[in-house]
Amino acid sequence: KAGVTQTPRYLIKTRGQQVTLSCSPISGHRSVSWYQQTPGQGLQFLFEYFSETQRNKGNFPGRFSGRQFSNSRSEMNVSTLELGDSALYLCASSLGVRDSYEQYFGPGTRLTVT
Amino acid sequence: AQKITQTQPGMFVQEKEAVTLDCTYDTSDPSYGLFWYKQPSSGEMIFLIYQGSYDQQNATEGRYSLNFQKARKSANLVISASQLGDSAMYFCAMRVSQGGSEKLVFGKGTKLTVNP
């Protein structure tokens, strides 16, 4: 079956703009989690969506938001971009049930803020 | 606090030799899962192997095996017969429960270089 897909793969934005990233999970997976990866902070959890509801949230400002649609596809939005938001954004797809070993990542979206 | 520690920023290994990448974890949750991912320069996180906290045997997946020592809270990844394509960043991660949901906590990673 098809893997996790993320679009776009690369993005260049200017400070103050907003951006929307998309993630399509593996068929049958109902949970989508988002992570930010930077050289300084490493991989950090942003939030998780399950059945169209945000189920968990990391320690990021309110400029970072997301949503999930009925087909489990998820979008992440960052408003008022800052230089520090430049990062690789990864989404992970899973069944969303407790103790599931399935946690598969997409190829990521590399965001550059200038 | 739930934490993953990878103490080796970089490792070198000769092609066809075995290599062990270290990972220690800290959690008070009796039920947890441990993952290893490979991240090549392209950026994609590739799932390698999983070990559940209640699994009696060490996990194995082809050339990858996980040396799980629960009392020592370590989950080292062993790659046998290294190949040039194994050169990448390797991340150890732990699934932690939080408010009815779960998330992954990652270590800082180890950069593995396989020399011909």
Side-chain angles (χ1 to χ4, degrees):
Chain A
K1 51 186 174 182
V4 181
T5 58
Q6 289 186 247
T7 57
R9 293 292 311 278
Y10 302 91
L11 209 47
I12 300 175
K13 289 286 188 178
T14 305
R15 270 182 303 175
Q17 289 185 316
Q18 74 165 16
V19 67
T20 298
L21 313 181
S22 180
C23 173
S24 292
I26 291 171
S27 177
H29 284 189
R30 296 167 63 190
S31 169
V32 173
S33 297
W34 289 88
Y35 292 83
Q36 181 196 63
Q37 185 178 24
T38 60
Q41 299 299 318
L43 281 146
Q44 293 185 289
F45 173 76
L46 280 157
F47 32 63
E48 185 222 3
Y49 284 87
F50 178 80
S51 292
E52 302 179 63
T53 301
Q54 186 181 88
R55 198 162 65 165
N56 199 358
K57 191 177 190 305
N59 296 322
F60 279 81
R63 300 185 297 106
F64 291 82
S65 63
R67 59 179 175 168
Q68 187 179 35
F69 302 94
S70 58
N71 61 358
S72 294
R73 187 178 70 87
S74 177
E75 288 182 347
M76 190 192 97
N77 184 275
V78 187
S79 62
T80 319
L81 283 166
E82 300 177 358
L83 295 178
D85 297 333
S86 294
L88 179 67
Y89 290 88
L90 294 159
C91 78
S93 160
S94 75
L95 291 170
V97 298
R98 183 173 170 83
D99 296 339
S100 168
Y101 65 88
E102 292 198 352
Q103 296 271 357
Y104 296 101
F105 282 80
T109 294
R110 196 170 293 277
L111 172 65
T112 302
V113 182
T114 62
Chain B
Q2 291 150 327
K3 187 179 177 181
I4 292 283
T5 302
Q6 293 181 256
T7 57
Q8 306 154 314
M11 287 285 285
F12 293 87
V13 66
Q14 286 297 122
E15 194 178 6
K16 299 180 185 177
E17 291 186 350
V19 62
T20 298
L21 306 184
D22 294 341
C23 172
T24 58
Y25 60 91
D26 187 18
T27 181
S28 56
D29 193 337
S31 177
Y32 51 89
L34 296 159
F35 299 77
W36 276 93
Y37 289 91
K38 171 185 177 181
Q39 187 178 44
S41 56
S42 60
E44 182 173 0
M45 296 286 280
I46 301 169
F47 168 76
L48 295 178
I49 197 166
Y50 168 83
Q51 180 84 42
S53 58
Y54 294 121
D55 293 342
Q56 295 296 314
Q57 294 189 334
N58 288 341
T60 60
E61 289 284 351
R63 295 186 299 111
Y64 305 106
S65 61
L66 200 152
N67 185 359
F68 182 47
Q69 298 188 43
K70 197 170 183 177
R72 297 181 60 184
K73 293 190 173 181
S74 75
N76 299 338
L77 176 70
V78 180
I79 305 175
S80 63
S82 296
Q83 302 172 355
L84 295 178
D86 294 335
S87 293
M89 284 292 294
Y90 287 80
F91 290 93
C92 179
M94 177 170 60
R95 183 187 59 230
V96 302
S97 298
Q98 182 176 341
S101 176
E102 296 180 335
K103 67 176 184 180
L104 293 177
V105 173
F106 286 86
K108 295 293 187 185
T110 295
K111 184 176 182 180
L112 177 66
T113 302
V114 181
N115 294 316

